[in-house]
């Protein structure tokens, strides 16, 4: 297949027909799929070939069904986005039985590279005056707008990171312009890629989680620019009608996340240890620590108690623990 | 006439010829209806073709389906016509994309075969002027309102130019690729 034999124990994936290893170049490999660069329909048209190879450990029938489902879900989302004007690569060809999809090739570089390059240049600057940082805010703004357009179309990406966003030089199609602005430039159109985990969802919660994933991914990939992430959210908030509500929901999602106690967000729930010795955190009878000292040894949980009259509840929300039966 | 070899389908070269001002569309259509084996071509009505890519994507799908024994219609040539359609209705796809008695601009495609023989047979039997199979000529002869109706996509008007067309093309190719899923 290739000019040199593969390393010991490394299985070379078999490309589905009609593709030939001689005409494709492997770009990257994920857990589920392989991405190649090739040409499609014309020798001068570059294209991205995404192959979901067979998984020999799965039952063949199940494997076929899962491959079919996933490749179709991705293609449907891309076509939908294309119709709604969300900047994504279009689908050029597809074979769900064989497990491949050919998409438009996106020229340019990833947002991750662009931001890293900018951070490096910014770090090299001497004076505080020179460090404005305004250039990057334009890019962050365009990211927010792109995600907003995606969500407006009713699609949730599922894996928003700065490496799943490309910066396509404006007026691309004609090669050569890309060189002028230089790889890693902050200019260009933000194009979203890799919809392998995308779903067509209209729930506010899912959109908020999508933003939360981006927020956390951005913070860990670009810690020096983390403080500017608010610009993304600000642009997002203006991008479609329900955006403000999604941002509100994002606050709830953050509180559930692991970062809830960091300095960035005020803590939502105080830990019991914080309150030790100051205030009794729960009503006495519900406190597990005092329960052992009680006379009554075994207490029946409320859910196993015989039905109580409604009046015994003090009302929704005021006390989550209904009083126990005598 | 142009000889086109699609990437990855080197064994199946296409012979493509665009004719303008065709006078005997009725005769050509009749040959297809009669199943005349000498007329094994995909005769497309060029007024519903958006671009070269649009046509070639249909050819790729048809040939790939043929190689996988999944043809939904009689042969690879009728399958090219069917592949252009965004839905699974075969007779509707023939009515919309295939040659009709009223067709004036016709694109003839043959998969495989001898180039010289096909060219002489086509020029002898199609009464029309051969034209270059290019995006520019297709843009001249296409009927955007019909394309818009078939694919339910906003293709703009002729004055909107390249950008609107490219946007529409991406969606059209996508809906063709998803057809039958």
């Amino acid at each position: 297949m290739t000019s040199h034999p593969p390393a010991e124990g490394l299985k070379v994936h078999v490309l589905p027909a009609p593709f030939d290893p001689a005409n494709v170049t492997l770009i990257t490999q994920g857990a589920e799929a392989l991405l190649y660069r090739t040409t499609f329909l014309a020798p001068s048209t570059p294209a991205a070939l995404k192959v979901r190879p067979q998984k020999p450990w799965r039952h063949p029938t199940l494997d076929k069904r899962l491959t079919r489902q996933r490749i179709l879900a991705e293609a449907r989302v891309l076509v939908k986005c294309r119709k709604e004007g969300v900047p994504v690569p279009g689908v050029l060809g597809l074979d769900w039985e064989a497990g491949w999809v050919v998409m438009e090739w996106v020229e340019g570089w990833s947002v991750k590279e662009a931001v890293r390059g900018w951070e490096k240049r910014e770090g090299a600057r001497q004076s505080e005056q020179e460090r404005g940082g305004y250039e990057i805010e334009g890019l962050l703004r365009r990211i927010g707008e792109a995600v907003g357009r995606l969500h407006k179309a009713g699609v949730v990406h599922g894996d928003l990171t700065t490496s799943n966003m490309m910066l396509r030089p404006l007026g691309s199609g004609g090669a050569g312009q890309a060189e002028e602005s230089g790889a890693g430039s902050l200019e260009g159109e933000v194009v979203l890629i890799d919809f392998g985990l995308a779903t067509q969802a209209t729930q506010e919660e899912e959109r908020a989680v999508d933003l939360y994933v981006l927020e956390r991914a951005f913070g860990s990939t670009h810690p020096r620019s983390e403080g500017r992430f608010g610009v993304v959210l600000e642009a997002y908030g203006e991008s479609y009608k329900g955006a403000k509500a999604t941002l509100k929901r994002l606050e709830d999602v953050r509180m559930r996340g692991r970062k809830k106690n960091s300095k960035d967000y005020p803590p939502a729930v105080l830990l019991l240890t914080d309150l030790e010795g100051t205030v009794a955190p729960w009503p006495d009878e519900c406190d597990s620590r005092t329960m052992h000292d009680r006379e009554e040894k075994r207490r029946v949980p409320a859910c196993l108690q015989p039905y109580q009259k409604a009046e015994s509840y003090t009302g929704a929300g005021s006390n989550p623990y209904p009083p126990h039966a005598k | 006439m142009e000889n086109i070899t699609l990437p990855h389908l080197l064994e199946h070269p296409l012979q493509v010829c665009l004719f303008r001002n065709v006078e005997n569309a009725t005769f050509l259509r009749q040959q297809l209806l009669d199943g005349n084996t000498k007329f094994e071509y995909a005769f497309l009505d060029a007024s519903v073709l958006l671009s070269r890519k649009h046509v070639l994507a249909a050819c790729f799908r048809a040939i790939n389906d043929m190689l996988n024994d999944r043809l939904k219609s009689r042969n690879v040539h009728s399958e090219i016509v069917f592949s252009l359609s965004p839905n699974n209705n075969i007779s509707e796809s023939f009515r919309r994309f295939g040659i009709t008695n009223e067709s004036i601009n016709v694109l003839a495609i043959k998969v495989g075969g001898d180039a010289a023989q096909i060219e002489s047979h086509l020029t002898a039997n199609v009464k029309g002027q051969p034209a270059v199979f290019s995006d520019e000529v297709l843009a001249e002869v296409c009927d955007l309102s019909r394309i818009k109706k078939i694919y339910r996509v906003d293709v703009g008007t002729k004055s909107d130019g390249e950008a609107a067309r490219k946007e529409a093309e991406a969606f059209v190719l996508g809906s063709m690729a998803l057809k039958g899923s």
Side-chain angles (χ1 to χ4, degrees), chain A residues 7-162:
Chain A
E8 194 81 25
L10 238 170
K11 192 176 161 288
V12 169
H13 290 289
V14 184
L15 275 170
F19 301 100
D20 189 289
N23 303 321
V24 302
T25 326
L26 185 65
I27 301 291
T28 181
Q29 178 173 358
E32 298 251 322
L34 297 135
L35 189 75
Y36 299 90
R37 185 190 164 120
T38 184
T39 55
F40 198 65
L41 301 183
S44 58
T45 312
L49 168 67
K50 190 167 184 176
V51 177
R52 286 180 179 264
Q54 267 184 23
K55 306 247 182 291
W57 59 86
R58 275 201 302 233
H59 188 279
T61 315
L62 176 67
D63 185 50
K64 264 203 147 157
R65 260 173 71 174
L66 289 175
T67 303
R68 186 193 135 99
Q69 267 173 20
R70 288 172 190 176
I71 213 137
L72 276 172
E74 180 171 1
R76 284 190 185 121
V77 162
L78 285 173
V79 172
K80 183 174 184 183
C81 285
R82 240 3 242 259
K83 188 173 190 180
E84 309 284 339
V86 186
V88 299
V91 175
L92 301 176
L94 171 68
D95 189 331
W96 51 86
E97 302 286 333
W100 57 260
V101 57
V102 179
M103 293 165 282
E104 289 172 324
W105 184 259
V106 181
E107 298 291 343
W109 45 87
S110 72
V111 168
K112 177 176 159 182
E113 290 167 307
V115 175
R116 288 230 163 125
W118 177 83
E119 284 181 339
K120 216 174 153 189
R121 291 195 297 276
E122 184 80 354
R125 278 177 200 163
Q126 296 299 314
S127 65
E128 278 295 314
Q129 281 85 1
E130 275 185 296
R131 291 188 199 175
Y134 299 116
E135 311 104 89
I136 201 168
E137 301 204 340
L139 172 61
L140 297 177
R141 189 148 263 289
R142 277 175 288 146
I143 293 174
E145 286 161 4
V147 176
R149 248 184 289 170
L150 178 79
H151 284 180
K152 190 185 178 185
V155 174
V156 166
H157 185 283
D159 188 20
L160 280 177
T161 60
T162 43

Side-chain angles (χ1 to χ4, degrees), chain B residues 4-37:
Chain B
I4 300 172
T5 307
L6 293 172
H8 313 293
L9 295 175
L10 310 180
E11 316 260 289
H12 304 274
L14 305 169
Q15 314 295 336
V16 183
C17 200
L18 180 61
F19 291 96
R20 299 185 71 171
N21 305 319
V22 175
E23 289 161 14
N24 60 341
T26 313
F27 165 77
L28 295 171
R29 183 166 171 266
Q30 196 55 47
Q31 303 312 306
L32 297 182
L33 292 174
D34 294 347
N36 188 342
T37 49

